[in-house]
Amino acid sequence: MIYKKILQIFLLFFSSFVCAQSYYLDKSGVIRETKSKKEVSFWGVNYTLPFAHAYRMCKRLGVDPKEAIEQDVYHFARLGFNAYRIHIWDVEISDRKGNLIENEHLDLLDYLICKLKERNIKIVYTPMAYWGNGYPEKDEKLPGFSSFWNKAEMSQSEEAIKAQENYLSQFVSHVNAYTGLKIQDDPDVVGFEINNEPVNPLDPSHTTAYVKRMVAAIRNKGCKKLVFYNVSHNFSNTQAFYDAGIDGGTFQWYPTGLVAGHSRKGNFLPTVDAYPIPFNNINGFSNKAKVVYEFDPADITDSYLYPAIARTFRKTGFQWVTQFAYDPTFMAWANTEYQTHYLNLVYTPQKAISMKIASEVMKEIPRNTDFGSYPTDTIFGHFKVSYDNKLSLLNSGEKFFYSNHTSAFPVNEELLREVAGFGNSSIITYPGTGAYFLDKLSDGVWRLEVMPDQVWIKDPFCKTSIKEKVASVLWNQWPMQIKLSDLGHDFGFWGLNEGNARTGISNNGTIQVSPGVYLLTRKGIKNNKWNANSKLGCIRLGEFAAPDANQKEFMVVHHPQEVVTSQKDYTVSVKVIGPEIPDSVFLLGYYEDFTFSIPMKTAGSYDFQTTIPAEKMKEGLLNYAIVVYKNQHSDTFPSCKEGDLRDWDFTGASMWSVRVEDTHKYITLYSGQFYDEAESFVIQGDKCKKEILWGEYPGILYTSVSAAFETSGGDLLLRHYVKPKLAGRKDKLELSKHLYVKLNEMVGIDSLSVGFITKDGFTYKKKIAAKKGIVVIPFVDLQLERTALLPQAYPAFLPAYFYPPKIEKAFDVNEVEFWEISTGIIRSPGCYKFEVESAWLQ
């Protein structure tokens, strides 16, 4: 403790020579560097390990929080982040009167900031969160002032306001135990967002007075940092915020909603096409900074959205953008911190590479640049995003980054200095399922970093538990072929990270790699300069951070087709993961009257595949299991039991099932059995209700969708993701010409709009009379119209619809992803309801 105090005094002495005000706001509302006067841009993440659930999991799992911080901050640097934001759980570091409490939470925050500074990552603090520390668990009883007042009271209770003033004053003058700097004097602190998502009264004068008091509390001990306030909440009272002496407004963006409870499907590029701010013409707006404190395409597993979001933020003029939230690696296998968010270099490698590409968008694309509207803006600058290929791509002279397999070639290999990717490209062929990085150090010398393999074993956005993992990490050796003229076909390689003693010569550019860091040198190059302790930017060449393998037993991950056509070959693909590569894998299939066994062949890394021949595909319900063999030992899935399904004493009963239908049978899109899959939505309405109702005859079920509208202009919708129902019936799909819908009772509705949303995110519908019975809609009658952006985004002021460009693109049933029925524009206030029994193609 004495040593710590001496260190603080020592650091405080030298901190007096540091320029604390590294950034300023110019007259146009642009954040600039104080010394160079250059405009700045920031891209990064929120990360919460010093507090709340993540902190408790450190203790529960026996993890050293400082080691965990070091590993994650290294990954931040590897992904090119230069920004960090946190809403601090004030309830954990304060008392009722707002006095700052020196404890482990504050110490870990100090340590985290110290490590971020080492990686040249800048900080925006949100000192007050205004809530308990429990989520997703129960709140603990804590002494902080947020335990005594709710959000609404925080800006109205005089006692609460005084506690906040005291707390903010002490917080900004707090001395970091590891840097010796007061927070307000730290040159890497850009500024402060006063509080997290506040609730303010509608009285403008009261709101302005409250915000002014908070600004004064931050400034009263000489703090000159930028001060921001949340303006995307309570936006009907926004002028009051801009009248309060703030330097900028903070915004959020959750374009795909929150907490779906499952992975969302579909093309969300139209959803992230624009971020219009409806109050951008109010007094004071134009000369204030624009900051995004939180954003995330929540519940999305694909890796094509982050650069598109960054592009739209730049178009709108944002300079600071931080995603919410990066999962601490030590617990990311469970995704328990925030179920609806999932981002981590190890456990979501493709999304992480997409984030790295988005970081480059933020640096490269000038503020306020407009690339037009979707779909023309999917290629912009050196960037490309593709929903079809689930791909983010950066292809500039020096950098070649890709989040999925790509056939693109670097625009100029001679200039290439940095590669980051997942899967295969023209530069690297690699069957592993982790991210990798390849950096040029000098002519003929490169650094290769390979992350462990990752496989999702369940939907990461379903309900999670610290007792159950959603993702597995595996350490295996795979061949990697590197095709760079600067390295040649027979380059040497040496392990650099601790414990990595592998060395050798490549064979036609191919080496066997395990997770770790390697130095690659062209034949004839003598390396007298680079070693494990050499620096590459803000990282050491020998640095490597990755968790141990966590898959101790075999597991089969499989998502069967919902329905397939009889007398047609059916290809079954599975992932087999475990502590080793299996000796063999078999598919065992059976109907009631016969059983068959087919060997599965490896299809790359953990993928195995086989085709059930057409003669075995009989109409009915096909059931099958997968048996994995290793060293004369067998396990059967999905029962997850030891033994072979055919053993006399095997007790597992679980099977995968596929409905096999006659080629001439209609394609079912919707019925009561799919009730849980469909989602109902209301736009500009209230009390949306979806329920299942019994029909007048046994076995008949109706889906009822209703809502109340206080004004006109709203919409009531039922949407169902039907792509899996079509994937196995391509033969019948090609022959289908009509959409059939069977309707039941209506309330307040004269007409309905029925049709499809395609993979482009475009909506094709026909308006029909709302009447009981079967309605037949020829495909040729479907017309391109606006697409409802669902689920509705946060903040609430964002558009509810995407209006497609004027293009002549006819409806193509092969591109269908969603079936949708809606009321269209509600013409007058009232209660509305429609009931659907079924929908099918014929």
Side-chain angles (χ1 to χ4, degrees):
M1 198 67 182
I2 294 176
Y3 170 78
K4 188 174 179 180
K5 290 294 183 183
I6 294 174
L7 178 63
Q8 287 181 354
I9 294 170
F10 177 79
L11 292 172
L12 271 172
F13 173 76
F14 283 98
S15 71
S16 61
F17 298 99
V18 178
C19 175
Q21 186 64 3
S22 299
Y23 305 96
Y24 71 97
L25 191 71
D26 72 11
K27 294 181 180 179
S28 300
V30 177
I31 303 173
R32 298 183 180 276
E33 286 184 344
T34 300
K35 290 183 178 179
S36 69
K37 312 299 182 186
K38 290 181 179 179
E39 180 181 328
V40 292
S41 63
F42 302 95
W43 180 270
V45 290
N46 286 248
Y47 171 76
T48 67
L49 189 144
F51 301 99
H53 179 69
Y55 171 82
R56 291 193 300 273
M57 290 305 103
C58 273
K59 299 302 181 181
R60 191 176 303 178
L61 299 176
V63 172
D64 183 332
K66 291 183 178 179
E67 289 183 6
I69 286 170
E70 290 171 3
Q71 293 175 3
D72 288 327
V73 172
Y74 169 68
H75 289 165
F76 296 170
R78 209 67 197 87
L79 293 172
F81 300 159
N82 67 344
Y84 169 74
R85 180 260 181 183
I86 185 172
H87 63 239
I88 291 167
W89 277 261
D90 52 276
V91 73
E92 292 188 319
I93 60 169
S94 70
D95 64 16
R96 178 169 180 146
K97 293 184 177 181
N99 294 307
L100 197 65
I101 298 175
E102 299 275 350
N103 57 21
E104 189 176 11
H105 297 293
L106 192 56
D107 182 72
L108 288 174
L109 178 62
D110 287 349
Y111 189 78
L112 169 60
I113 298 304
C114 177
K115 293 302 163 183
L116 291 168
K117 287 167 62 64
E118 290 175 2
R119 307 291 185 176
N120 199 30
I121 296 172
K122 310 307 178 185
I123 299 102
V124 164
Y125 289 101
T126 302
M128 300 185 294
Y130 289 167
W131 51 32
N133 71 337
Y135 185 88
E137 305 167 271
K138 291 182 179 180
D139 284 344
E140 296 178 310
K141 291 184 178 181
L142 295 168
F145 56 86
S146 291
S147 297
F148 301 93
W149 296 278
N150 61 36
K151 276 192 175 187
E153 293 170 333
M154 283 293 180
S155 60
Q156 299 179 60
S157 165
E158 182 61 25
E159 185 181 357
I161 292 173
K162 287 182 176 179
Q164 293 170 79
E165 289 175 318
N166 184 35
Y167 170 79
L168 288 173
S169 178
Q170 291 188 30
F171 181 84
V172 299
S173 58
H174 165 71
V175 177
N176 185 302
Y178 300 93
T179 67
L181 294 169
K182 289 182 179 179
I183 291 177
Q184 66 183 34
D185 294 335
D186 190 333
D188 292 315
V189 174
V190 176
F192 303 93
E193 181 196 30
I194 293 172
N195 45 30
N196 184 72
E197 300 178 356
V199 174
N200 294 102
L202 292 178
D203 175 18
S205 60
H206 185 103
T207 294
T208 297
Y210 165 75
V211 177
K212 281 184 174 180
R213 288 179 67 174
M214 297 300 102
V215 173
I218 290 173
R219 300 240 184 265
N220 70 2
K221 291 189 178 179
C223 177
K224 297 180 180 180
K225 301 293 184 186
L226 302 178
V227 179
F228 311 112
Y229 199 81
N230 183 302
V231 298
S232 59
H233 284 61
N234 314 287
F235 57 86
S236 59
N237 198 19
T238 307
Q239 185 65 68
F241 304 140
Y242 284 94
D243 290 341
I246 59 173
D247 296 304
T250 67
F251 298 75
Q252 65 174 165
W253 198 12
Y254 291 120
T256 57
L258 292 169
V259 198
H262 58 85
S263 295
R264 289 210 172 274
K265 304 298 182 183
N267 185 349
F268 286 95
L269 286 173
T271 304
V272 301
D273 191 56
Y275 192 98
I277 301 172
F279 47 83
N280 61 2
N281 60 349
I282 67 172
N283 184 41
F285 182 91
S286 62
N287 63 354
K288 302 297 183 185
K290 291 191 281 291
V291 167
V292 176
Y293 67 100
E294 289 179 11
F295 85 95
D296 194 39
D299 303 311
I300 301 294
T301 58
D302 296 324
S303 62
Y304 66 96
L305 283 173
Y306 285 128
I309 291 171
R311 174 210 64 216
T312 299
F313 280 144
R314 291 305 274 164
K315 175 182 176 180
T316 313
F318 288 103
Q319 288 184 263
W320 175 285
V321 180
T322 37
Q323 182 267 357
F324 191 92
Y326 191 92
D327 287 77
T329 300
F330 81 89
M331 57 184 285
W333 51 267
N335 191 30
T336 58
E337 187 178 38
Y338 292 97
Q339 171 192 330
T340 195
H341 308 291
Y342 201 24
L343 178 66
N344 179 272
L345 175 56
V346 179
Y347 291 95
T348 68
Q350 292 177 270
K351 291 179 69 175
I353 295 297
S354 182
M355 273 288 286
K356 182 176 177 68
I357 295 168
S359 179
E360 297 297 324
V361 173
M362 202 70 185
K363 298 170 188 173
E364 180 177 315
I365 301 302
R367 186 174 45 85
N368 299 326
T369 303
D370 189 347
F371 290 96
S373 298
Y374 176 82
T376 60
D377 60 1
T378 55
I379 299 175
F380 54 99
H382 296 121
F383 306 92
K384 176 182 178 180
V385 291
S386 169
Y387 169 70
D388 280 347
N389 299 318
K390 307 298 185 285
L391 172 70
S392 300
L393 177 70
L394 163 59
N395 192 0
S396 65
E398 293 190 345
K399 297 177 181 180
F400 187 49
F401 302 164
Y402 44 92
S403 69
N404 206 351
H405 307 294
T406 179
S407 58
F409 285 83
V411 293
N412 190 335
E413 188 189 318
E414 291 183 2
L415 297 178
L416 192 63
R417 300 196 63 84
E418 189 176 355
V419 178
F422 177 98
N424 299 327
S425 71
S426 60
I427 294 292
I428 293 178
T429 303
Y430 179 60
T433 59
Y436 50 78
F437 306 87
L438 185 62
D439 296 276
K440 186 172 184 177
L441 305 177
S442 58
D443 286 344
V445 183
W446 294 70
R447 177 189 189 265
L448 171 66
E449 181 173 0
V450 181
M451 300 303 295
D453 293 337
Q454 167 273 346
V455 176
W456 287 336
I457 59 177
K458 61 174 288 190
D459 187 335
F461 300 115
C462 290
K463 187 175 182 179
T464 56
S465 168
I466 202 68
K467 300 174 184 177
E468 183 177 344
K469 64 176 180 281
V470 301
S472 293
V473 167
L474 305 107
W475 285 57
N476 281 307
Q477 187 178 103
W478 301 110
M480 176 180 281
Q481 184 179 30
I482 302 174
K483 291 162 279 189
L484 279 175
S485 56
D486 189 51
L487 281 174
H489 299 293
D490 51 358
F491 57 83
F493 65 94
W494 291 265
L496 280 181
N497 59 295
E498 185 177 351
N500 184 0
R502 299 195 65 246
T503 182
I505 304 295
S506 71
N507 179 11
N508 193 31
T510 300
I511 62 176
Q512 297 293 324
V513 296
S514 300
V517 179
Y518 302 84
L519 189 69
L520 314 181
T521 59
R522 187 174 67 228
K523 185 178 181 180
I525 295 289
K526 290 186 177 180
N527 173 41
N528 298 318
K529 179 179 179 181
W530 305 101
N531 57 53
N533 290 318
S534 301
K535 295 294 288 290
L536 174 65
C538 59
I539 69 171
R540 289 186 303 104
L541 297 191
E543 281 191 90
F544 183 70
D548 294 334
N550 65 358
Q551 190 63 38
K552 307 300 182 184
E553 64 286 319
F554 280 110
M555 177 173 287
V556 174
V557 181
H558 176 50
H559 304 287
Q561 298 274 28
E562 288 191 19
V563 56
V564 297
T565 300
S566 62
Q567 303 305 308
K568 298 285 185 180
D569 289 352
Y570 171 43
T571 299
V572 178
S573 300
V574 303
K575 287 187 182 294
V576 181
I577 58 174
E580 303 172 275
I581 303 299
D583 293 332
S584 60
V585 179
F586 276 76
L587 180 147
L588 304 182
Y590 71 95
Y591 295 90
E592 288 187 4
D593 56 348
F594 75 93
T595 304
F596 56 90
S597 173
I598 306 176
M600 304 192 78
K601 296 181 180 180
T602 182
S605 61
Y606 306 101
D607 296 319
F608 287 80
Q609 194 173 85
T610 194
T611 298
I612 302 175
E615 61 268 20
K616 295 187 183 297
M617 297 300 296
K618 302 196 312 176
E619 192 174 353
L621 195 64
L622 168 64
N623 301 294
Y624 57 92
I626 305 296
V627 185
V628 178
Y629 299 91
K630 182 68 179 181
N631 298 331
Q632 300 182 333
H633 179 88
S634 60
D635 295 283
T636 297
F637 302 89
S639 293
C640 300
K641 283 185 173 289
E642 183 178 349
D644 189 310
L645 176 68
R646 296 165 292 187
D647 294 341
W648 72 270
D649 58 350
F650 184 80
T651 59
S654 298
M655 304 290 288
W656 282 293
S657 297
V658 175
R659 195 167 74 251
V660 184
E661 294 186 347
D662 182 84
T663 187
H664 300 294
K665 190 174 183 180
Y666 53 79
I667 300 176
T668 302
L669 294 180
Y670 186 74
S671 67
Q673 73 183 91
F674 305 124
Y675 172 81
D676 289 336
E677 298 176 8
E679 291 186 281
S680 61
F681 300 95
V682 62
I683 297 174
Q684 295 182 20
D686 193 18
K687 298 179 181 178
C688 184
K689 186 177 182 181
K690 179 174 74 107
E691 56 185 334
I692 196 82
L693 303 174
W694 286 105
E696 55 187 315
Y697 301 107
I700 301 298
L701 295 172
Y702 292 103
T703 300
S704 170
V705 182
S706 61
F709 294 86
E710 295 183 358
T711 60
S712 61
D715 202 348
L716 179 63
L717 309 96
L718 180 71
R719 181 180 286 186
H720 185 207
Y721 183 65
V722 296
K723 184 178 179 180
K725 295 172 175 54
L726 307 178
R729 298 293 309 277
K730 292 294 185 183
D731 55 328
K732 178 62 177 177
L733 194 63
E734 296 284 353
L735 301 174
S736 298
K737 302 297 180 183
H738 300 84
L739 165 64
Y740 292 74
V741 181
K742 189 172 183 182
L743 303 171
N744 196 38
E745 301 295 336
M746 311 288 162
V747 174
I749 297 172
D750 297 322
S751 63
L752 289 165
S753 185
V754 184
F756 304 99
I757 304 167
T758 67
K759 66 181 182 66
D760 293 321
F762 294 161
T763 297
Y764 295 83
K765 282 184 174 179
K766 178 179 173 60
K767 190 175 183 180
I768 63 172
K771 61 181 181 179
K772 188 174 182 178
I774 295 175
V775 180
V776 183
I777 304 171
F779 290 168
V780 294
D781 289 350
L782 296 171
Q783 299 294 315
L784 182 65
E785 65 170 56
R786 66 183 187 178
T787 296
L789 301 178
L790 300 173
Q792 289 180 268
Y794 299 98
F797 59 67
L798 291 170
Y801 298 95
F802 168 77
Y803 293 86
K806 294 180 179 180
I807 56 173
E808 296 296 329
K809 182 171 184 180
F811 171 72
D812 183 351
V813 71
N814 293 290
E815 296 183 351
V816 166
E817 293 196 331
F818 291 88
W819 168 74
E820 183 177 278
I821 181 168
S822 69
T823 60
I825 299 174
I826 295 294
R827 300 297 181 185
S828 60
C831 294
Y832 294 81
K833 181 179 77 170
F834 61 81
E835 294 177 357
V836 183
E837 179 190 323
S838 54
W840 65 95
L841 301 181
Q842 184 71 39

